[in-house]
Amino acid sequence: MARGKKIYEGKAKILFEGPEPGTIVQYFKDDATAFNAEKQSVIDGKGVLNNRLSEYFMVGLNQIGVPTHFLKRLNMREQLVRSCEIIPLEVIVRNYAAGSMSKRLGIEEGTQLPRPIVEYCYKDDSLGDPLVSEEHIAAFGWASQQDMDDILGLALRVNDYLSGVMYGVGIKLIDFKIEIGRIYEGDFQRLVVADEISPDSCRLWDIESGQKLDKDVFRRDLGNLTDAYAEVARRLGVLPKGTGPKPTLVN
């Protein structure tokens, strides 16, 4: 499928105009970044794995009635998605303390939280995506109270789904972040899960060994990132068992 004009290039993806009005082609890059892009590298095969894994999760969410922007995968690196207005928030769901929460609150990494905790960060790389409260969100008009109620409901449903899927293949879902988009249908607005769901946006630990199978492998120099992502893909059946970590790349 021929790509249209490039709309936007971010740290991990490039967006192109889609073949039909209201669609976008989302291209997954091999670039890896951490610490607000202070650490950068190119990881061969990462984009392919994230494309396949995000497809797997988005299709699963659509099947259980959680709306997403995903339409179909086009090839090994690209997928077709609905165009939507992204709410400028990262929605983070935490089941266990890790990362910035452990640093902020002095809670040991891996401590199970009393219940899933939902946090919000304002999407602005130049500011380091700062943590914000619902008061900030309401005061600056980033989302209405009804939006926030719907976002919370979507986030917790995604958490239930991802936690169950991961537990079934021996992986503990520590936390994850999603983005939410607005799709307008006539006079009506609908909120959908947008962007991607992949090991780039989740913390995933092996239940038995505690081995990290997510971007912390890159952040903390714990090994080969592609191997970690490929292990998640193999367990979920996205890659056949015995497949090498670097599937044939098709741009």
Side-chain angles (χ1 to χ4, degrees):
M1 179 180 292
R3 300 174 189 151
K5 183 177 70 174
K6 183 164 80 171
I7 301 170
Y8 171 79
E9 181 167 358
K11 290 178 284 190
K13 291 183 295 298
I14 306 174
L15 304 182
F16 299 92
E17 289 179 345
E20 302 291 338
T23 65
I24 287 175
V25 174
Q26 188 164 257
Y27 175 93
F28 286 76
K29 299 160 60 176
D30 281 343
D31 299 44
T33 63
F35 312 118
N36 202 24
E38 290 179 14
K39 182 176 183 179
Q40 302 183 45
S41 186
V42 176
I43 311 294
D44 192 18
K46 170 180 169 287
V48 170
L49 289 162
N50 279 350
N51 184 26
R52 295 296 299 272
L53 285 164
S54 193
E55 173 197 17
Y56 179 91
F57 296 129
M58 294 291 189
V59 167
L61 289 171
N62 285 334
Q63 288 174 342
I64 64 168
V66 177
T68 78
H69 73 161
F70 180 83
L71 293 171
K72 64 179 179 179
R73 181 169 58 84
L74 300 174
N75 53 50
M76 295 292 277
R77 285 190 178 273
E78 294 178 331
Q79 54 184 234
L80 187 68
V81 301
R82 292 183 182 88
S83 176
C84 56
E85 176 190 316
I86 297 293
I87 294 173
L89 299 171
E90 290 183 347
V91 183
I92 302 165
V93 183
R94 300 183 183 274
N95 299 306
Y96 298 82
S100 63
M101 170 176 269
S102 291
K103 292 177 182 175
R104 277 187 281 120
L105 303 181
I107 304 173
E108 184 179 355
E109 283 207 322
T111 301
Q112 186 168 4
L113 301 174
R115 60 179 176 82
I117 292 177
V118 181
E119 297 178 332
Y120 306 98
C121 290
Y122 178 52
K123 274 180 58 63
D124 188 318
D125 286 343
S126 67
L127 299 175
D129 301 325
L131 193 67
V132 293
S133 69
E134 290 195 37
E135 281 293 304
H136 293 105
I137 295 166
F140 297 118
W142 297 327
S144 68
Q145 186 57 57
Q146 182 61 59
D147 287 339
M148 293 308 298
D149 293 343
D150 293 343
I151 288 169
L152 178 62
L154 284 172
L156 293 177
R157 290 182 69 191
V158 173
N159 188 45
D160 287 345
Y161 166 75
L162 288 179
S163 295
V165 167
M166 291 302 182
Y167 185 80
V169 295
I171 295 173
K172 187 185 296 185
L173 179 66
I174 302 299
D175 57 35
F176 66 92
K177 66 180 178 182
I178 54 174
E179 295 183 16
I180 302 295
R182 295 186 179 99
I183 290 178
Y184 295 95
E185 297 168 342
D187 293 333
F188 297 97
Q189 168 196 289
R190 188 159 63 109
L191 297 186
V192 300
V193 179
D195 192 44
E196 69 176 291
I197 299 176
S198 75
D200 267 10
S201 57
C202 305
R203 278 194 174 88
L204 307 170
W205 295 3
D206 180 82
I207 287 175
E208 296 295 330
S209 68
Q211 178 188 1
K212 293 177 173 58
L213 301 170
D214 55 68
K215 201 163 75 167
D216 275 348
V217 172
F218 173 70
R219 289 187 188 100
R220 304 181 185 187
D221 298 315
L222 299 177
N224 185 290
L225 190 67
T226 307
D227 288 348
Y229 287 19
E231 175 63 19
V232 175
R234 277 193 289 268
R235 292 196 195 187
L236 292 169
V238 173
L239 287 181
K241 289 182 179 178
T243 303
K246 296 177 184 176
T248 302
L249 307 186
V250 180
N251 289 325

